[in-house]
Amino acid sequence: MTTVDKDTANWRLYGGGGLLVGGLLWLVGVILSGVAGMPDVGRWVTVIGVVVVAIGLFLVAWGQTGSNGAVGNNMMGKVGLWAAAIGFLAWGLLPVFEVGGDWLGWLVLVLVGLGSLIAAVIIMQKGVARGLAKWMMFAVAIVAIVYFLGAFGVLAMGGDVMMVLAYLFPVVVALTGIVYVLNKK
């Protein structure tokens, strides 16, 4: 079993910090768009936050040397985190360039949902993350899958539930970041 030490700590500091900062920026963007009535500013803050989340996921996968991220040297776990990161990048950046449609949403659902679910299983099995940090990627995967299935009408949810999920999604990502940053031996 791999232990967390000074050589592996950067996946949690930089990756977890990226998830924390990105999740908070994303949440601020959602609040600015919805509650504060500043949709243009909120949109850009959200885009920046989602991109920072994607960078955080890449850092959680790699760690310092590439073999000591949260998934250790497991390539399937790295691919899962990369897929989730690419999904977040696509979700954040492609609409900025006016590229999108239903196919983009389904692509993001598959990349973020399935990628984070695969990564969650590997993170749990590898034992690099400890305690609650071992389980937090499951929360990201579940919220992502429910959010996107609700957005596409596969799950029948009202507007109020979708609004709650729009706020919950970045909060869960930020909480995952906090737990990763605080992960110790």
Side-chain angles (χ1 to χ4, degrees), residues 46-140:
T46 300
V47 167
I48 293 166
V50 169
V51 169
V52 172
V53 166
I55 294 167
L57 287 169
F58 277 115
L59 294 171
V60 168
W62 276 98
Q64 184 174 344
T65 64
S67 65
N68 56 1
V71 293
N73 60 359
N74 186 295
M75 189 52 73
M76 180 63 83
K78 290 184 186 311
V79 169
L81 286 167
W82 296 341
I86 291 168
F88 274 110
L89 279 175
W91 190 30
L93 292 178
L94 290 180
V96 170
F97 299 108
E98 297 180 1
V99 175
D102 282 347
W103 68 270
L104 175 62
W106 286 105
L107 175 69
V108 171
L109 167 64
V110 169
L111 290 173
V112 173
L114 189 59
S116 58
L117 188 59
I118 289 168
V121 170
I122 304 300
I123 289 170
M124 183 194 63
Q125 291 174 345
K126 287 303 278 188
V128 174
R130 306 283 188 195
L132 187 57
K134 187 182 207 178
W135 301 97
M136 285 304 292
M137 194 58 69
F138 280 110
V140 173

Side-chain angles (χ1 to χ4, degrees), residues 143 146-148 150 157 160-170:
V143 172
V146 170
Y147 176 83
F148 287 113
M157 291 188 248
D160 291 341
V161 174
M162 285 306 297
M163 184 175 293
V164 168
L165 284 173
Y167 289 98
L168 181 64
F169 199 176

